[in-house]
Amino acid sequence: MQKAERPSAFAIWQATLPAAEKLLRADVVQNLLNQLIPNDILGPEFYFGAPSVLARDLVTNRYADNLLRHIRKHHSDVKQLCIKVSGTAPAVVTPSFLQDRKNISLVHAGLCQVFFPRHKTVA
């Protein structure tokens, strides 16, 4: 008898994404979770590469429990997610409103509110 071959981290992640899309908003999956790169499964740990510290922190603080629950449906030995900031992942995560050029005025208004001083500056 041969042992059943263990599924790869990539195959498990691809099977998990549709369930995550049902649970979370589609823009979270598109802009955040699709940026994660499944690297390997070592013992009870599932390793990901993240494009930035912000992406790593968002996934860790908001979505890790739900993702772990869905990953465990495909690989029951996984007990923990390890997300490392990876130099090979894309460094820039483009928000969905920047992909649509019709909403460029929204970006302009936001930048004006953030970068123009509200009070007279003292030299």
Side-chain angles (χ1 to χ4, degrees):
M1 286 170 73
Q2 290 182 345
K3 279 186 159 181
E5 194 170 314
R6 191 176 82 170
S8 69
F10 181 78
I12 291 172
W13 183 238
Q14 291 303 315
T16 302
L17 281 176
E21 193 165 0
K22 290 178 185 176
L23 180 68
L24 306 170
R25 295 188 326 257
D27 62 333
V28 171
V29 174
Q30 179 184 4
N31 292 326
L32 184 62
L33 298 183
N34 279 336
Q35 302 297 323
L36 296 178
I37 300 171
N39 290 333
D40 202 2
I41 302 170
L42 298 173
E45 297 173 338
F46 194 104
Y47 285 90
F48 287 102
S52 66
V53 174
L54 176 64
R56 180 197 64 195
D57 291 346
L58 279 172
V59 171
T60 302
N61 295 331
R62 293 187 181 183
Y63 308 114
D65 294 336
N66 289 327
L67 289 176
L68 183 59
R69 188 177 317 122
H70 287 295
I71 288 171
R72 290 190 67 180
K73 290 179 183 176
H74 301 284
H75 196 287
S76 61
D77 295 339
V78 174
K79 305 278 190 249
Q80 183 178 356
L81 300 180
C82 297
I83 304 172
K84 307 282 184 190
V85 177
S86 171
T88 59
V92 178
V93 178
T94 306
S96 61
F97 67 85
L98 286 179
Q99 294 173 353
D100 184 12
R101 293 294 180 185
K102 294 176 186 175
N103 292 329
I104 198 71
S105 61
L106 173 69
V107 175
H108 172 71
L111 291 175
C112 290
Q113 291 174 356
V114 172
F115 291 109
F116 287 151
R118 295 184 190 160
H119 303 287
K120 185 175 181 178
T121 56
V122 179

